[in-house]
């Protein structure tokens, strides 16, 4: 099995430059989205959940009413990897298409 390479702080900064609203905090990349109501937030979360399953990569996330907080890191690498940025871009695409 191929070992997953943990990104350096410099690599993380470069990749973050390609995402809007994401930050590197305590070993993970994070963002928050606001929706018009709980139903919309939950609908988007469901869509994201299917993509997470397809990528076999799952976020730490929380939802309170219309707010969704997402935190991504790769536990097997004990840090941020390309998998996190692939999923972050997928999440961005989902948000933009809703």
């Amino acid at each position: 099995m191929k070992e997953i390479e943990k990104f350096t702080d410099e690599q993380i900064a470069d990749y973050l430059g390609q995402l809007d609203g994401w930050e590197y905090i305590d070993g993970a990349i994070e963002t928050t989205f606001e929706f018009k109501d709980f139903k919309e937030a939950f609908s988007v979360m469901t869509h994201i959940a299917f993509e997470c399953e397809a990528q076999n990569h799952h976020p730490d996330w929380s939802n309170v009413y219309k707010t969704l907080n997402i935190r991504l890191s790769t536990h097997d690498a004990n840090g941020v990897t390309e998998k996190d940025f692939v999923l972050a871009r997928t999440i961005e695409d989902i948000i933009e298409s809703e």
Side-chain angles (χ1 to χ4, degrees), residues 54-85:
Q55 292 183 29
N56 194 29
H57 193 49
H58 305 90
D60 293 330
W61 62 2
S62 64
N63 163 246
V64 177
Y65 181 51
K66 63 180 183 175
T67 303
L68 172 60
N69 299 303
I70 302 175
R71 181 174 164 84
L72 300 175
S73 66
T74 304
H75 301 290
D76 292 343
N78 198 29
V80 175
T81 69
E82 185 171 5
K83 288 177 75 168
D84 301 303
F85 284 100

Side-chain angles (χ1 to χ4, degrees), residues 46-59:
T46 301
H47 191 163
I48 292 169
F50 280 97
E51 287 299 322
C52 292
E53 276 298 299
Q55 292 183 29
N56 194 29
H57 193 49
H58 305 90

Side-chain angles (χ1 to χ4, degrees), residues 33-48 61 63-68 94-98:
F33 296 104
E34 288 263 334
F35 301 93
K36 73 176 183 180
D37 55 27
F38 176 75
K39 183 179 174 183
E40 183 179 271
F42 196 82
S43 175
V44 172
M45 288 177 71
T46 301
H47 191 163
I48 292 169
W61 62 2
N63 163 246
V64 177
Y65 181 51
K66 63 180 183 175
T67 303
L68 172 60
I94 290 167
I95 298 293
E96 289 174 15
S97 72
E98 292 291 323

